[in-house]
């Protein structure tokens, strides 16, 4: 993995840890790493807010067993898309 990809993963990990939907980030820094590759794949393929929100909702409900309603996956999807648009290196979009 190139340093650039590591940096992108670290940035996304930071966002997910700030969100911390299950409230464990103080004890477990990599709890949401299972979402990194699927999210990056979607972002690199041009997924929109709706698709990212649906992925996050699915993960919250099916993977983590949570009620997604109060966790605002759509609001988090906006943050992810904004981060991707402003922070992602142009050549990483192609999966470099």
């Amino acid at each position: 993995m190139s340093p650039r990809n590591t940096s992108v993963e670290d940035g996304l990990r930071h966002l997910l840890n700030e969100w911390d939907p299950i409230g464990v980030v103080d004890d477990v820094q990599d709890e949401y790493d299972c979402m990194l590759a699927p999210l990056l794949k979607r972002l690199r393929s041009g997924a929109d807010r709706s698709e990212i929100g649906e992925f996050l909702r699915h993960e919250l409900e099916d993977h983590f067993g949570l009620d997604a309603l109060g966790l605002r996956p759509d609001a988090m999807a906006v943050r992810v898309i904004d981060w991707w648009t402003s922070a992602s290196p142009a050549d990483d979009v192609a999966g470099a």
Side-chain angles (χ1 to χ4, degrees):
M1 179 176 300
S2 75
R4 183 178 316 252
N5 286 342
T6 301
S7 175
V8 170
E9 284 186 358
D10 287 347
L12 185 53
R13 180 180 294 113
H14 178 77
L15 267 181
L16 293 171
N17 283 347
E18 279 185 342
W19 184 37
D20 193 20
I22 61 174
V24 298
V25 78
D26 289 340
D27 298 319
V28 184
Q29 294 293 308
D30 63 352
E31 181 65 27
Y32 309 111
D33 281 8
C34 58
M35 291 192 279
L36 292 177
L39 276 171
L40 289 171
K41 179 180 179 183
R42 284 169 173 79
L43 291 165
R44 287 179 177 130
S45 69
D48 63 10
R49 181 209 51 83
S50 177
E51 186 178 345
I52 297 298
E54 185 55 39
F55 169 77
L56 293 173
R57 184 176 300 102
H58 173 79
E59 287 298 295
L60 291 172
E61 293 173 353
D62 293 346
H63 179 80
F64 292 105
L66 301 171
D67 178 4
L69 183 61
L71 298 172
R72 305 183 61 219
D74 292 328
M76 184 58 184
V78 170
R79 288 186 65 201
V80 169
I81 294 289
D82 288 348
W83 165 80
W84 179 254
T85 302
S86 66
S88 180
D91 60 344
D92 190 69
V93 172

